[in-house]
């Protein structure tokens, strides 16, 4: 077991970029009004000459081994990452070429980009004249979900439009912006990609290209789909089709440096990551092996080809925490090998897919976010659900963020048919909300997730329960009872388990009877 902090304090190598992390962005992220103290939090800042290719989850360098004489195609050159492409290079699908890196690693742990979060990815790139736009696709950056068959969510590409070479950004199938390519070649260009991760109703991107002090393009597009499944993982390099009809394909290269990743948040602490090797777990119907390359630790676990074979880890959390579980695996077959995942005996993922990888030496990940862990030890078990057994499992990465309670005062919420008062003592903040004695009156809070527990502080000086319906983002979570407290100056709490992901959400309490609701003081999320 190896523990590390995903991002240490900003080092001198970050330079000016660390200072930029403190600046509010032009144009607030969606829902930023409830997080006025939010800033860009630096999460990843590799330097090629220092961190090398270990800054990435994976390096897809001629993975079909089509051109051994040209290897390595991806390497560090000075303080740049260089991606070299030859005309003879082929990917595993021979109608295309690929030399890419994928994912971000800091202090030994993968960075997880989850639904509802807002991230900014920045880098500098040098596009030589030999790397041209084509009539099909030539991607130089992508965001994808892990898996060999997943489609990209966002692509930055070099493509010809009416014969003119352009650099374009496409998100969720929608063209966000275009810029002329030729004036940007043979010089260093600054790139920023900002994205709120979500489906088409909540997804948002901002794309910026700068040529020195000149802003070439700065375009924002809302209502685009930036989410597919599992998590978002960026890729950089050259990935292009051989179907070009413009005669633009030739030997070429791409240089990238000064790569940065920032997460938008109100001083959110970086998660603490711990790696648990599979070979140290409890194994039922399987064996530790090392006959394939690319694993971490001293080996991996090959589960028997039988339903019910499993691997069980014991993981720890310093306190009640929200955790992200990332399984590193290989599946060299052509079929999915699903597994049920339980935490302390409770099912958290039913038949979690472990899709095929390129081969048994090619490792990928599957991630579960928003897992609640109690303080101390917990068991995480992955169990094969088919007669094919599970994939080869290398390790489990557990990233935890302590659940810190956050209060939201009722008097600051949106009130429908009710007033803020301070007549009865014992409230917190500057007052409480007295709802009208009518069914349908409501109090709506704008909150920031993730959260798993809701605590409501209230007073009910009558002799009858005053139930209210709780909803999150318009979806009912059921009824909450508010029994009598004995007096309007006697305050009590009710607790409800909820599941609210990252980002901004609305929580509404609506009175169910003609008596209205109780006096509401505040809610607490943890």
């Amino acid at each position: 077991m190896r523990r590390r902090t995903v991002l240490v304090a900003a080092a001198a190598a970050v330079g000016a970029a660390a200072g930029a992390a403190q600046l509010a962005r032009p144009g607030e992220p969606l829902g930023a009004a409830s997080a006025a103290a939010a800033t860009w939090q630096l999460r990843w800042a590799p330097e090629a000459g220092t961190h090398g290719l270990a800054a990435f989850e994976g390096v897809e360098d001629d993975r079909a081994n089509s051109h051994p004489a040209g290897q390595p195609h991806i390497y560090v050159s000075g303080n740049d990452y260089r991606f070299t492409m030859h005309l003879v290079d082929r990917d595993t699908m021979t109608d295309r070429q690929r030399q890419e890196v994928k994912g971000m690693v800091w202090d030994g742990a993968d960075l997880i980009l989850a639904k509802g979060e807002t991230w900014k990815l920045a880098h500098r790139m040098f596009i030589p004249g030999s790397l041209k736009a084509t009539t099909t696709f030539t991607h130089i950056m992508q965001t994808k979900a892990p898996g060999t068959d997943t489609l990209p969510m966002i692509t930055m590409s070099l493509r010809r439009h009416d014969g003119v070479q352009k650099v374009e950004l496409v998100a969720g199938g929608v063209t966000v912006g275009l810029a002329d390519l030729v004036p940007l070649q043979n010089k260093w260009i600054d790139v920023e990609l900002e994205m709120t991760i979500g489906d088409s109703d909540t997804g948002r991107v901002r794309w910026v290209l700068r040529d020195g002090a000149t802003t070439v393009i700065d375009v924002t597009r809302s209502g685009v789909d930036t989410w597919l499944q599992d998590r978002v993982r960026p890729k950089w390099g050259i990935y292009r089709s051989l179907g070009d009809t413009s005669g633009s394909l030739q030997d070429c290269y791409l240089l990238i440096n000064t790569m940065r990743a920032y997460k938008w948040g109100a001083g959110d602490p970086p998660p603490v990551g711990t790696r648990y090797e599979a070979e140290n777990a409890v194994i039922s119907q399987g064996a530790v092996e090392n006959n394939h390359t690319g694993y971490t630790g001293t080996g991996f676990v090959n589960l028997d080809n039988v339903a019910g074979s499993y691997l069980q880890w014991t993981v720890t959390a310093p306190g009640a925490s929200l955790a992200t579980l990332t399984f590193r695996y290989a599946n060299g077959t052509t079929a999915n090998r699903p597994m049920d995942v339980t935490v302390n005996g409770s099912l958290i993922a039913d038949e979690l897919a472990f899709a095929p990888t390129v081969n048994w030496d090619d490792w990928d990940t599957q991630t579960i976010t928003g897992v609640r862990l109690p303080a101390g030890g917990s068991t995480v078990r992955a169990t094969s659900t088919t007669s094919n057994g599970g994939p080869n499992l290398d390790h489990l990465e557990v990233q935890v963020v302590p659940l810190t309670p956050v209060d939201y005062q009722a008097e600051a919420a949106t009130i429908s048919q009710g007033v803020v008062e301070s007549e009865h003592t014992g409230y917190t903040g500057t007052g409480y909300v007295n709802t009208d004695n009518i069914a349908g009156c409501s109090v709506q809070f704008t909150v920031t997730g993730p959260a798993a527990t809701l605590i409501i502080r209230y007073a009910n000086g009558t002799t009858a329960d005053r139930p209210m319906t709780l909803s999150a983002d318009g979806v009912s979570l059921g009824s909450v009872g508010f029994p009598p407290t004995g007096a309007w100056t006697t305050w009590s709490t009710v607790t409800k388990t909820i599941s609210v992901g990252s980002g901004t959400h609305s929580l509404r309490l609506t009175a169910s009877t003609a008596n209205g609701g109780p006096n509401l003081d505040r809610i607490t999320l943890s």
Side-chain angles (χ1 to χ4, degrees):
M1 181 177 72
R2 183 186 170 204
R3 175 167 292 167
R4 71 278 239 191
T5 302
V6 175
L7 185 68
V8 296
V14 174
Q22 303 305 313
L23 299 177
R25 55 188 267 188
E28 293 178 328
L30 299 178
S34 65
T39 58
W40 288 114
Q41 309 293 322
L42 185 65
R43 290 290 191 256
W44 185 64
E47 298 296 333
T50 302
H51 300 93
L53 295 175
F56 309 103
E57 284 184 46
V59 179
E60 296 175 338
D61 184 330
D62 193 13
R63 60 183 189 174
N65 199 32
S66 66
H67 186 200
Q71 299 172 5
H73 298 80
I74 305 172
Y75 55 91
V76 173
S77 176
N79 204 36
D80 305 328
Y81 292 107
R82 181 180 173 110
F83 304 82
T84 301
M85 185 71 77
H86 308 97
L87 273 175
V88 297
D89 299 341
R90 295 292 184 271
D91 193 25
T92 52
M93 296 179 67
T94 56
D95 64 343
R96 61 198 64 192
Q97 302 175 299
R98 183 195 306 269
Q99 312 294 355
E100 290 183 302
V101 294
K102 59 184 180 184
M104 300 176 286
V105 174
W106 191 255
D107 199 21
D110 300 343
L111 262 68
I112 305 299
L113 281 61
K115 191 175 186 180
E117 297 176 345
T118 297
W119 286 80
K120 178 166 64 177
L121 307 179
H123 66 276
R124 302 182 73 230
M125 66 177 178
F126 184 95
I127 304 175
S130 58
L131 178 52
K132 302 180 184 298
T134 58
T135 56
T136 50
F137 66 84
T138 296
H139 301 326
I140 55 176
M141 182 181 178
Q142 305 184 72
T143 65
K144 300 184 70 177
T148 55
D149 296 324
T150 59
L151 295 174
M153 294 164 274
I154 300 175
T155 58
M156 184 165 63
S157 309
L158 310 181
R159 191 186 298 269
R160 292 180 178 268
H161 289 258
D162 297 325
V164 179
Q165 296 192 78
K166 300 282 187 176
V167 54
E168 66 175 19
L169 189 86
V170 175
V174 177
T175 300
V176 176
L178 300 167
D180 288 336
L181 173 61
V182 173
L184 304 180
Q185 289 178 307
N186 301 310
K187 62 175 71 172
W188 285 99
I189 301 299
D190 294 298
V191 182
E192 289 182 10
L193 173 61
E194 183 182 311
M195 56 185 173
T196 297
I197 301 172
D199 297 318
S200 58
D201 55 339
T202 58
R204 176 186 180 278
V205 295
R206 177 178 176 227
W207 182 47
V208 183
L209 296 180
R210 294 188 178 93
D211 179 1
T214 301
T215 299
V216 178
I217 189 170
D218 185 343
V219 60
T220 299
R221 187 72 176 255
S222 299
V224 291
D225 194 348
T226 58
W227 171 255
L228 182 62
Q229 63 189 36
D230 190 16
R231 62 183 173 111
V232 172
R233 184 168 65 185
K235 304 182 76 175
W236 298 267
I238 305 173
Y239 176 45
R240 67 183 184 182
S241 166
L242 293 172
D244 172 66
T245 59
S246 67
S248 299
L249 297 177
Q250 60 187 88
D251 291 353
C252 61
Y253 66 92
L254 173 69
L255 299 178
I256 294 178
N257 65 28
T258 320
M259 306 181 81
R260 301 288 184 264
Y262 306 88
K263 183 181 180 183
W264 182 260
D268 301 330
V272 176
T274 305
R275 178 177 295 173
Y276 299 87
E277 294 292 344
E279 61 268 26
N280 298 326
V282 175
I283 305 167
S284 176
Q285 296 176 288
V288 176
E289 297 179 353
N290 58 11
N291 57 324
H292 297 294
T293 62
Y295 55 82
T296 60
T298 59
F300 56 87
V301 171
N302 180 0
L303 291 170
D304 291 351
N305 293 349
V306 60
S309 57
Y310 70 80
L311 202 60
Q312 179 172 296
W313 294 267
T314 298
V315 305
T316 59
S321 302
L322 205 64
T324 297
L325 310 182
T326 300
F327 300 86
R328 190 169 190 259
Y329 77 97
N331 178 2
T333 73
T334 58
N336 174 33
R337 292 196 167 190
M339 305 190 81
D340 285 344
V341 179
T342 61
V343 173
N344 296 325
S346 297
L347 184 68
I348 64 166
D350 183 22
E351 295 192 335
L352 183 67
F354 289 86
T357 56
V358 174
N359 52 52
W360 290 109
D361 298 315
D362 184 73
W363 300 86
D364 213 326
T365 63
Q366 183 63 281
T367 299
I368 307 172
T369 60
V371 179
R372 187 169 181 176
L373 296 180
S378 295
T379 58
V380 178
R381 179 181 291 189
T383 304
S384 307
T385 61
T386 73
S387 59
N388 291 327
N392 287 351
L393 290 167
D394 182 30
H395 66 242
L396 168 65
E397 181 85 27
V398 181
Q399 297 182 11
V400 297
V401 176
L403 290 169
T404 303
V406 178
D407 292 336
Y408 297 87
Q409 295 294 332
E411 62 269 26
T414 300
I415 305 165
S416 175
Q417 295 176 291
V419 294
V420 176
E421 295 180 350
S422 57
E423 174 185 353
H424 302 296
T425 61
Y427 56 83
T428 61
T430 60
Y432 56 87
V433 172
N434 179 1
T435 60
D436 293 349
N437 292 349
I438 185 172
C441 58
S442 66
V443 181
Q444 180 169 305
F445 301 82
T446 300
V447 302
T448 301
T453 301
L454 169 66
I455 301 172
I456 308 168
R457 190 171 191 263
Y458 76 99
N460 180 359
T462 73
T463 59
D465 186 15
R466 291 197 167 189
M468 304 186 83
T469 299
L470 172 66
S471 63
D473 299 325
V475 178
S476 176
L477 301 181
S479 180
V480 180
F482 293 94
T485 59
W488 291 110
T489 55
T490 301
W491 299 86
S492 186
T493 61
V494 294
T495 301
K496 187 171 180 65
T497 299
I498 61 175
S499 180
V500 171
S502 298
T504 302
H505 303 272
S506 64
L507 293 180
R508 176 182 292 181
L509 289 163
T510 305
S512 306
T513 72
N515 291 327
N519 287 351
L520 293 172
D521 180 33
R522 72 178 184 218
I523 65 171
T524 301
L525 291 184
S526 67

